[in-house]
Amino acid sequence: GIGDITGSGNNIIIGNQNTITNITNAQYAEGHKMTEELRRRVNALGELSDEQKISIQSDLETIKSQLAKQQPDTGILQKAKENIAFLADITAIVAPAMALLTWLSTQFHI
């Protein structure tokens, strides 16, 4: 399979059987890492239902896909941020949730 393709500040990693495992815009790599960390932490939470986790995972994937773009859509990021804002109230993930929410606010003024 193809291992690593780079260009125009983007980093695309494609794994086996053409499965995309990581797409990031180098400019927003920090936000992408924070989003992925929060995604992993949410997935491990026992206090959320599977339906809640799926909804949250979807919003986090939306954020990551926007961060892969050269010009992320701030309207889409704002909506996804609003959808996951309640995560800052969950003690087990307050630190990564606040880190991502603050980063989005600072980076995109949303």
Side-chain angles (χ1 to χ4, degrees):
I2 299 171
D4 190 7
I5 303 171
T6 58
S8 302
N10 292 325
N11 179 29
I12 302 171
I13 300 170
I14 302 175
N16 294 336
Q17 300 165 347
N18 295 327
T19 301
I20 299 174
T21 59
N22 187 12
I23 301 176
T24 60
N25 179 327
Q27 180 180 358
Y28 305 122
E30 181 181 359
H32 187 275
K33 287 177 190 173
M34 285 188 275
T35 305
E36 183 59 23
E37 172 64 20
L38 184 56
R39 186 196 65 75
R40 284 192 301 271
R41 301 275 297 271
V42 164
N43 197 41
L45 276 178
E47 60 195 85
L48 297 174
S49 69
D50 287 344
E51 292 81 19
Q52 288 174 307
K53 287 180 182 180
I54 290 169
S55 179
I56 294 163
Q57 300 290 351
S58 178
D59 286 316
L60 293 173
E61 289 301 321
T62 295
I63 291 170
K64 288 190 330 185
S65 69
Q66 286 300 309
L67 296 180
K69 293 181 173 183
Q70 198 64 30
Q71 297 286 330
D73 184 321
T74 56
I76 293 172
L77 287 171
Q78 174 70 37
K79 182 63 179 163
K81 179 184 169 211
E82 290 170 1
N83 289 346
I84 65 165
F86 76 95
L87 295 175
D89 296 329
I90 300 174
T91 305
I93 57 170
V94 68
M98 284 304 299
L100 177 61
L101 295 171
T102 301
W103 184 86
L104 288 169
S105 294
T106 303
Q107 189 72 36
F108 298 102
H109 308 291
I110 57 174

